[in-house]
């Protein structure tokens, strides 16, 4: 289903052969549990990526290099984010803590995405190196989940702790290290659940999904098997309903690139759905609402929480529709606790924080990123097919959590995308050069 494509993917490599950038990225990904235990993930990853970006910056090379439209789009989006945030901070007279928190959010969200897409263009950063690092990280998922399940069934419980270094990070204190699984109902069945190396259980779901598609490109068969197992384990233990739906969507999109029948299947499926709904005497909307009822029944309390906060977020956005609020400035009270507005759904959060203007630039960034992979995918590039499919899955998943929050936990995915674009660009350049040489000989 997911064959390898680039020749470089089929060739193994040694750690001694890595460039400086590859070595830094490789160990930054592999040692993810260490950065989690130290409580420095939200600062460490942006520091690594932006540091490499500055080291590889070369104005002459930048002028001669064709930077993908998606990278420019994310840069513009990050600037719009900073602009609207400054407007919001002016209402608080630019309090130091709020300014520091906003800057951290800036560097670990949209600007981080831009940097990840651009770094492979200026540094030697091969797809296979990122793939190998992600594979080992996924194996780490498998080991961590196995240990947590053993502790859960053995009745061993470790107290969560807040790393001392994390005290230096301004903003939301969501860096508590909690190395344990817990029981929680899912579709009426009580099953183990875990947050792994993240602050929220759904995040391991999208991490597992992205790792799954990346690790299909791992050249070592044994490592690939364990990595795929770890990715699936992360996806399942997250209890993320949306991540499971996105997995199915990504697989369907990936298959659709390879099969004419699959491309036509969506039309036939829609026609069949309309036919069945008419035969059963129900409206098409009611027919389509049935899966949603099943989706919400898995964890009804969670669905109500999200629906309530999104509704309150949209109400607040209507008070400042064009430029938004810049920074979170309100909460929604749900029973006995307060939830920050914009905590769920990337799309409502972008509207709330950056208004209609920011939303337009955000949708443009999403569209340009997809379009950069579309043509190579149609032409048969397998990695671009997988990138396109996982991007669509991520766009759907973002309805559940803000991208500005989860980007720092899936930074490896954007690096992978950037490396694919760089290798695809190099392949096209090599093809053009060979054609020019043949033309001159002719």
């Amino acid at each position: 289903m997911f064959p390898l494509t680039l020749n470089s993917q089929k060739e193994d490599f040694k750690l001694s052969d890595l460039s400086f950038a590859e070595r830094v990225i490789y160990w930054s990904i592999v040692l993810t549990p260490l950065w989690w235990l130290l409580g420095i993930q939200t600062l460490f990853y942006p520091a690594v990526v932006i540091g490499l970006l500055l080291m590889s910056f070369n104005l002459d090379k930048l002028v001669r290099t064709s930077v993908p439209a998606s990278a420019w789009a994310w840069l513009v989006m990050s600037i719009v984010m900073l602009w609207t945030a400054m407007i919001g901070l002016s209402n608080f007279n630019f309090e130091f803590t709020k300014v520091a928190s906003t800057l951290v959010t800036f560097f670990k969200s949209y600007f981080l995405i831009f940097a990840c897409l651009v770094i492979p263009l200026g540094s030697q950063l091969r797809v296979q190196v990122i793939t190998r690092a992600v594979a080992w990280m996924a194996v780490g998922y498998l080991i961590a989940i196995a240990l947590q399940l053993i502790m859960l069934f053995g009745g061993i419980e470790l107290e969560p702790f807040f790393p001392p270094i994390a005290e230096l990070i301004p903003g939301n204190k969501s860096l508590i290290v909690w190395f344990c699984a817990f029981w929680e109902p899912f579709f009426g069945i009580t099953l183990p659940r875990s947050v792994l190396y993240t602050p929220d259980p759904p995040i391991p779901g999208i991490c597992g999904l992205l790792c799954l598609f990346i690790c299909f490109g791992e050249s070592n068969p044994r490592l690939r098997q364990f990595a795929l197992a770890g990715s699936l384990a992360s996806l399942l233990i997250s209890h993320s309903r949306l991540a499971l739906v996105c997995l199915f969507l990504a697989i369907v999109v990936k298959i659709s690139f390879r099969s004419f029948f699959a491309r036509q299947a969506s039309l036939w499926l829609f026609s069949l759905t309309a036919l069945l709904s008419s035969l059963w005497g129900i409206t098409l909307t009611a027919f389509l609402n049935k899966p949603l009822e099943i989706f919400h029944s898995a964890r009804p309390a969670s669905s109500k929480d999200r629906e309530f906060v999104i509704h309150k977020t949209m109400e607040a956005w209507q008070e400042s529709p064009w430029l938004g609020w810049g920074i979170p400035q309100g909460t929604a009270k749900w029973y006995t606790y307060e939830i920050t507005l914009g905590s769920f759904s990337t799309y409502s959060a972008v509207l709330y924080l950056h208004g209609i203007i920011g939303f337009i630039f955000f949708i443009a960034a999403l569209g340009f990123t997809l379009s950069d992979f579309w043509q190579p995918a149609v032409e048969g590039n397998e990695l671009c097919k997988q990138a396109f499919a996982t991007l669509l899955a991520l766009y759907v998943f973002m309805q559940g959590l803000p991208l500005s929050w989860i980007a720092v936990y899936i930074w490896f995915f954007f690096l992978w995308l950037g490396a694919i674009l760089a290798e695809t660009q190099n392949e096209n350049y090599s093809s053009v050069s060979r054609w020019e040489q043949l033309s001159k000989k002719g």
Side-chain angles (χ1 to χ4, degrees):
M1 184 186 298
F2 303 95
L4 301 175
T5 175
L6 300 177
N7 291 332
S8 61
Q9 284 291 104
K10 298 179 181 179
E11 300 171 359
D12 208 345
F13 64 92
K14 298 179 181 179
L15 292 180
S16 58
D17 298 333
L18 303 186
S19 66
F20 174 77
E22 289 177 333
R23 195 179 302 277
V24 171
I25 292 298
Y26 181 88
W27 289 112
S28 296
I29 296 175
V30 172
L31 296 179
T32 292
L34 176 61
W35 320 133
W36 167 65
L37 288 172
L38 293 175
I40 60 174
Q41 287 189 87
T42 54
L43 287 185
F44 179 75
Y45 297 140
V48 167
V49 173
I50 295 172
L52 289 175
L53 179 64
L54 294 175
M55 292 177 62
S56 63
F57 181 80
N58 185 310
L59 185 58
D60 293 335
K61 189 173 183 180
L62 181 63
V63 173
R64 289 184 278 106
T65 302
S66 177
V67 179
S70 56
W72 293 122
W74 284 111
L75 177 60
V76 173
M77 180 58 205
S78 64
I79 294 173
V80 171
M81 171 193 174
L82 189 61
W83 171 48
T84 55
M86 290 299 107
I87 296 175
L89 287 170
S90 65
N91 297 328
F92 296 88
N93 296 320
F94 295 96
E95 294 178 11
F96 175 77
T97 55
K98 291 188 179 295
V99 171
S101 176
T102 299
L103 290 177
V104 169
T105 303
F106 171 77
F107 285 113
K108 74 183 184 70
S109 55
Y110 306 129
F111 189 80
L112 176 65
I113 296 174
F114 157 73
C116 287
L117 292 175
V118 169
I119 282 179
L121 298 173
S123 304
Q124 182 187 347
L125 187 57
R126 291 166 290 176
V127 173
Q128 64 176 148
V129 175
I130 299 174
T131 302
R132 175 63 56 85
V134 171
W136 280 116
M137 183 178 68
V139 172
Y141 288 166
L142 186 63
I143 296 173
I145 292 171
L147 290 175
Q148 290 183 2
L149 292 180
I150 291 172
M151 291 167 57
L152 180 64
F153 286 103
I156 303 172
E157 185 174 351
L158 297 179
E159 290 295 325
F161 67 93
F162 194 79
I165 301 179
E167 293 283 358
L168 302 175
I169 301 177
N172 184 21
K173 301 297 184 181
S174 58
L175 300 171
I176 295 178
V177 174
W178 192 5
F179 189 76
C180 65
F182 50 92
W183 297 104
E184 191 166 287
F186 189 56
F187 285 108
I189 305 173
T190 302
L191 296 170
R193 195 182 191 192
S194 173
V195 298
L196 278 181
Y197 313 137
T198 70
D200 198 17
I203 300 178
I206 190 62
C207 288
L209 187 154
L210 299 177
C211 287
L212 184 72
F213 279 79
I214 293 174
C215 292
F216 273 115
E218 170 55 44
S219 58
N220 186 307
R222 181 63 60 85
L223 177 59
R224 182 171 63 247
Q225 293 170 1
F226 281 108
L228 294 177
S231 301
L232 283 173
S234 176
L235 177 63
L236 294 175
I237 206 167
S238 70
H239 288 199
S240 175
R241 299 159 293 171
L242 198 53
L244 292 172
V245 172
C246 291
L247 174 63
F248 174 76
L249 171 65
I251 293 174
V252 170
V253 172
K254 179 63 173 62
I255 294 175
S256 297
F257 278 111
R258 304 184 61 204
S259 169
F260 175 79
F261 172 78
R263 287 194 292 270
Q264 302 299 317
S266 58
L267 298 176
W268 287 102
L269 180 61
F270 179 81
S271 302
L272 180 61
T273 301
L275 175 62
L276 292 176
S277 64
S278 62
L279 291 176
W280 292 345
I282 60 176
T283 65
L284 182 61
T285 302
F287 186 85
L288 295 176
N289 280 338
K290 292 298 181 182
L292 287 177
E293 293 177 6
I294 299 174
F295 180 87
H296 293 311
S297 67
R299 288 203 316 278
S302 175
S303 294
K304 290 180 180 178
D305 283 356
R306 295 173 183 275
E307 183 180 355
F308 176 76
V309 174
I310 291 173
H311 177 71
K312 290 295 183 181
T313 299
M314 295 304 293
E315 284 184 351
W317 160 67
Q318 293 174 28
E319 297 178 22
S320 180
W322 288 103
L323 293 177
W325 293 87
I327 60 175
Q329 300 186 34
T331 60
K333 187 170 184 179
W334 183 250
Y335 293 109
T336 59
Y337 55 93
E338 302 281 342
I339 305 177
T340 303
L341 295 180
S343 296
F344 304 117
S345 176
T346 297
Y347 304 103
S348 64
V350 170
L351 277 171
Y352 166 65
L353 294 173
H354 316 299
I356 295 174
I357 294 177
F359 189 78
I360 292 172
F361 283 104
F362 181 74
I363 294 300
L366 299 183
F368 278 120
T369 307
L370 268 183
S371 65
D372 279 343
F373 292 96
W374 169 253
Q375 191 60 40
V378 171
E379 293 173 354
N381 187 308
E382 293 294 334
L383 282 179
C384 287
K385 293 177 185 178
Q386 289 171 213
F388 189 91
T390 47
L391 271 172
L392 279 179
L394 177 61
Y395 292 174
V396 174
F397 182 85
M398 289 183 335
Q399 173 60 19
L401 288 175
L403 179 62
S404 59
W405 186 38
I406 65 174
V408 73
Y409 300 103
I410 58 174
W411 69 292
F412 58 87
F413 172 67
F414 295 107
L415 270 177
W416 181 68
L417 294 180
I420 293 175
L421 289 175
E423 291 197 5
T424 303
Q425 189 178 95
N426 290 337
E427 281 193 337
N428 292 337
Y429 178 77
S430 299
S431 299
V432 171
S433 298
R434 287 195 297 269
W435 173 255
E436 290 178 348
Q437 292 175 2
L438 290 174
S439 299
K440 290 179 180 179
K441 291 181 179 179

